[in-house]
């Protein structure tokens, strides 16, 4: 059970880095608009340096970064350590929630849905980028869901 929380936390942390990147670059985090057509396609993760689309092996939280030596598999550009750190923070937050007794479905759902935005919120502050308005709401919902289970 705890392992499931950790895995989910890692994935949410990974998702949060994508949200932060797309907010900073003013891109939609649901759709991409390809250069050669007007039809939006579902957003996929890519290397910001060489624009190579990332495969599932490049997207395993923390482990991909460690195995690739913190570099892009395609262009060998360094990937900042903040990526695996944020993924680990996601896992840490889920472990905290687990031990806080966060097992009822309502607080768990709210916590899981808002966690990636909460983590993205911190990354945007770190990147000195103003988080969008909706992110403040999701950030506080996340903190409230955690407080609700602790208290
Ligand atoms: Zn690359």
């Amino acid at each position: 059970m705890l392992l499931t929380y950790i895995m989910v936390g890692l994935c949410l942390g990974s998702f949060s880095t994508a949200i932060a990147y797309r907010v900073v670059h003013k891109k939609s985090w649901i759709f991409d608009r390809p250069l050669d057509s007007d039809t939006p396609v579902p957003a996929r993760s890519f290397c910001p340096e060489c624009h190579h689309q990332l495969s599932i092996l490049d997207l395993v939280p923390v482990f991909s970064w460690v195995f690739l030596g913190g570099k892009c598999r395609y262009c060998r550009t360094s990937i900042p350590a903040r990526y695996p750190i944020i993924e680990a923070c996601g896992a840490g937050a889920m472990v905290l929630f687990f031990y806080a007794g966060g097992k009822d479905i309502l607080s768990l759902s709210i916590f899981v849905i808002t966690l990636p935005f909460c983590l993205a919120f911190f990354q945007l502050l770190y990147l000195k980028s103003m988080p969008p308005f909706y992110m403040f709401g999701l950030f506080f919902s996340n903190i409230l869901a955690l407080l609700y289970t602790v208290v």
Side-chain angles (χ1 to χ4, degrees), residues 46-52 54 72-77:
F46 59 89
C47 167
E49 198 60 35
C50 65
H51 294 270
H52 197 293
L54 301 182
C72 169
R73 184 204 300 272
Y74 310 98
C75 68
R76 311 300 300 159
T77 300

Side-chain angles (χ1 to χ4, degrees), residues 7-81:
M7 303 291 270
V8 169
L10 287 171
C11 294
L12 294 177
S14 181
F15 180 44
S16 82
T17 61
I19 295 172
Y21 175 85
R22 285 169 181 272
V23 167
V24 169
H25 293 88
K26 304 206 177 349
K27 287 162 71 95
S28 157
W29 40 268
I30 301 169
F31 290 114
D32 271 335
R33 207 169 277 278
L35 292 173
D36 53 354
S37 94
D38 272 343
T39 319
V41 295
R44 295 279 313 269
S45 294
F46 59 89
C47 167
E49 198 60 35
C50 65
H51 294 270
H52 197 293
Q53 201 167 79
L54 301 182
S55 78
I56 194 81
L57 282 175
D58 306 318
L59 292 169
V60 185
V62 182
F63 297 97
S64 290
W65 189 87
V66 171
F67 284 122
L68 295 170
K71 288 187 171 65
C72 169
R73 184 204 300 272
Y74 310 98
C75 68
R76 311 300 300 159
T77 300
S78 292
I79 301 161

Side-chain angles (χ1 to χ4, degrees), residues 114-130:
T114 55
L115 182 59
F117 296 95
C118 181
L119 294 169
F121 182 86
F122 286 116
Q123 289 168 82
L124 289 170
L125 295 182
Y126 172 80
L127 297 168
K128 298 187 172 57
S129 179
M130 181 68 181

Side-chain angles (χ1 to χ4, degrees), residues 70-149:
K71 288 187 171 65
C72 169
R73 184 204 300 272
Y74 310 98
C75 68
R76 311 300 300 159
T77 300
S78 292
I79 301 161
R82 109 184 121 78
Y83 283 83
I85 290 170
I86 285 290
E87 289 162 358
C89 286
M94 286 302 288
V95 170
L96 188 68
F97 195 76
F98 181 83
Y99 283 113
K103 289 162 194 102
D104 77 282
I105 196 71
L106 180 67
S107 58
L108 178 64
S109 315
I110 295 174
F111 189 75
V112 165
I113 292 167
T114 55
L115 182 59
F117 296 95
C118 181
L119 294 169
F121 182 86
F122 286 116
Q123 289 168 82
L124 289 170
L125 295 182
Y126 172 80
L127 297 168
K128 298 187 172 57
S129 179
M130 181 68 181
F133 187 68
Y134 69 84
M135 216 173 261
F136 282 89
L138 293 166
F139 169 74
F140 286 113
S141 309
N142 183 261
I143 303 296
L144 283 175
L146 182 61
L147 285 177
Y148 169 77
T149 51

